[in-house]
Amino acid sequence: MAIRPILLLPDPRLRKVAAPVAAIDAAIRELVADLFETMYAAPGIGLAANQVGVLKRVVVIDTVKDPDTEPRQPITLVNPEIAWVSEELRIHEEGCLSIPDYFEEIERPDRCRVAFLDLDGNRQTLDCEGVLATAVQHEVDHINGKLFIDYLSRLKRGIVTRRFAKQAKRAG
């Protein structure tokens, strides 16, 4: 396992649509282990493979905020697709490891169902609500080349994008 560097806005790879995983093999399992290690170290509650420069449809999530008081609940989604969303919406403050230290309230469906492959290659579905539903939708957006700032007004999105472009230019 290894902690991989997380791509930051405005890296163009964050806007690419990830390719489906054809087979769950040792390389995909290693990627998943690295994604979890990277996410936990950051720390975050979700990470998509394209955020570490791997354009594959692989997502990891763990919404446990304090692993000292409750056990981790790691979820691996390979080739995830949102199969259903509720009509009821929920506003939740979102952030992103690729847009560090920036948070905004985003409105998304409160519940969703995601279809995916597990690490054994079995087709699964998971019904999600609350923070988990938000995290699943956020991470599936990532592998579709979409960022949470895309839900903001054009003005706010432009401000954030310019700020991170300036930071990237200074970092160099």
Side-chain angles (χ1 to χ4, degrees), residues 81-144:
E81 298 292 337
I82 302 292
W84 170 84
V85 295
S86 67
E87 290 183 23
E88 303 83 30
L89 301 176
R90 174 178 187 262
I91 295 175
H92 185 81
E93 185 177 72
E94 291 187 36
C96 181
L97 296 175
S98 292
I99 310 172
D101 303 318
Y102 183 78
F103 302 91
E104 282 286 347
E105 290 191 340
I106 304 295
E107 185 175 59
R108 294 183 187 266
D110 182 49
R111 294 173 290 129
C112 70
R113 179 173 300 122
V114 61
F116 62 98
L117 296 177
D118 65 20
L119 282 180
D120 294 321
N122 297 316
R123 196 90 182 121
Q124 305 281 341
T125 60
L126 179 64
D127 289 332
C128 311
E129 62 180 83
V131 174
L132 180 57
T134 297
V136 165
Q137 293 170 76
H138 178 112
E139 299 307 328
V140 171
D141 276 352
H142 266 301
I143 60 174
N144 289 325

Side-chain angles (χ1 to χ4, degrees), residues 45-95:
I45 65 167
L47 191 63
N50 57 333
Q51 288 181 271
V52 297
V54 178
L55 293 175
K56 295 282 184 191
R57 298 184 75 80
V58 178
V59 163
V60 299
I61 295 171
D62 189 339
T63 59
V64 170
K65 290 193 186 233
D66 186 359
D68 294 332
T69 61
E70 60 181 310
R72 293 246 183 238
Q73 297 177 359
I75 298 169
T76 301
L77 308 173
V78 178
N79 295 339
E81 298 292 337
I82 302 292
W84 170 84
V85 295
S86 67
E87 290 183 23
E88 303 83 30
L89 301 176
R90 174 178 187 262
I91 295 175
H92 185 81
E93 185 177 72
E94 291 187 36

